[in-house]
Amino acid sequence: MKYSHIIWDFNGTILNDIQIGIDAVNVLLKRYGKKEIDTVEEYRAAFGFPVIDYYEKLGLERENFQIYAPEWVAEYNLREPNAAVFNGVSDLLKKLKSSGYIQVLLSATEQEMLLGQIDRLALRDSFAEIIGQNSIEAHGKIGAAIEWIKREKPMNALFIGDTIHDFEVAEAIGVKCVLVSWGHQSKERLLKTGAVVIDTVCELEKIIKNGEI
């Protein structure tokens, strides 16, 4: 077993919340007289971290971010019960746990909000640790990742995510990274990082079990 630890991102990697993320931000864009996002492709071309920069790309003013962030969370939470785990991911989480991998969830989502989502999806048992953030503003998760790796000192970890920021987190803590193309950013953007980018859960399972990267 090449990897001792598997570090998972949540939104867009495990949870399919792409459309509800679009719907929530479109409420804000309409409310403040900005152009709404028309397609998933348009969304994936714009989304990123820190979220304040993404909002600015959409025409929402940086100085009003403290207003926008809770409004977006409220709209997201209204729709979140409709979001499901990507096909095959729950089974993979169970397989990896039963095979002895230590799985950690690392998310830019606020901690209590994250735990609520995990419990709704009955995923808590898959993870040795669930790490969210102390605010709803989604600035990123590099700090939390650094704290975790200093504390746990994993023998060999693999980070799985769906955004450029996930690659940046993996780089910051010195672990291998694989990015999935089914999440919040386009495959074209992800490939520019130089990371391995995969399209299916089967490919992901093969990489983990064979230690291919």
Side-chain angles (χ1 to χ4, degrees):
M1 192 167 69
K2 182 173 181 181
Y3 302 112
S4 58
H5 293 69
I6 308 296
I7 309 166
W8 289 86
D9 169 59
F10 182 57
N11 304 86
T13 302
I14 293 174
L15 183 70
N16 183 357
D17 62 350
I18 288 87
Q19 189 58 53
I20 68 170
I22 296 170
D23 293 343
V25 81
N26 272 345
V27 171
L28 269 66
L29 294 171
K30 185 174 182 179
R31 183 177 295 160
Y32 293 101
K34 312 298 182 181
K35 181 185 179 299
E36 294 176 51
I37 295 170
D38 293 324
T39 65
V40 171
E41 290 73 24
E42 184 183 345
Y43 169 75
R44 285 176 166 152
F47 182 79
F49 291 95
V51 167
I52 190 171
D53 292 344
Y54 158 60
Y55 280 17
E56 188 173 48
K57 274 187 185 179
L58 299 179
L60 296 167
E61 298 79 6
R62 294 181 75 89
E63 58 269 24
N64 292 330
F65 183 64
Q66 299 288 336
I67 297 170
Y68 301 142
E71 290 186 352
W72 182 89
V73 168
E75 295 298 334
Y76 177 93
N77 284 341
L78 284 174
R79 297 162 175 79
E80 190 274 338
N82 296 319
V85 175
F86 285 103
N87 289 339
V89 172
S90 290
D91 288 342
L92 179 56
L93 288 168
K94 291 173 186 174
K95 283 183 190 177
L96 294 175
K97 182 183 178 183
S98 67
S99 297
Y101 293 91
I102 299 170
Q103 297 185 101
V104 176
L105 191 69
L106 177 65
S107 175
T109 298
E110 189 274 329
Q111 180 74 11
E112 292 305 314
M113 182 174 166
L114 177 63
L115 290 174
Q117 290 178 292
I118 292 298
D119 287 341
R120 178 181 71 79
L121 298 165
L123 294 177
R124 193 182 284 232
D125 287 348
S126 294
F127 300 103
E129 193 168 356
I130 297 169
I131 305 168
Q133 307 304 308
N134 60 8
S135 84
I136 63 168
E137 296 180 359
H139 293 299
K141 53 196 177 188
I142 289 177
I146 290 172
E147 287 180 13
W148 177 81
I149 204 157
K150 285 180 178 177
R151 170 167 43 86
E152 296 299 321
K153 299 180 176 63
M155 183 173 63
N156 197 2
L158 176 69
F159 196 106
I160 303 167
D162 71 308
T163 67
I164 293 167
H165 182 62
D166 290 317
F167 176 76
E168 293 168 345
V169 173
E171 289 275 284
I173 61 175
V175 304
K176 297 287 182 67
C177 180
V178 60
L179 299 175
V180 303
S181 66
W182 54 74
H184 287 275
Q185 290 185 329
S186 68
K187 186 173 184 178
E188 180 183 19
R189 294 176 71 192
L190 299 179
L191 286 169
K192 288 178 181 177
T193 66
V196 172
V197 182
I198 55 96
D199 299 318
T200 69
V201 174
C202 288
E203 288 178 84
L204 180 57
E205 182 174 4
K206 183 180 177 185
I207 283 172
I208 293 169
K209 294 197 170 179
N210 294 344
E212 289 185 349
I213 62 170

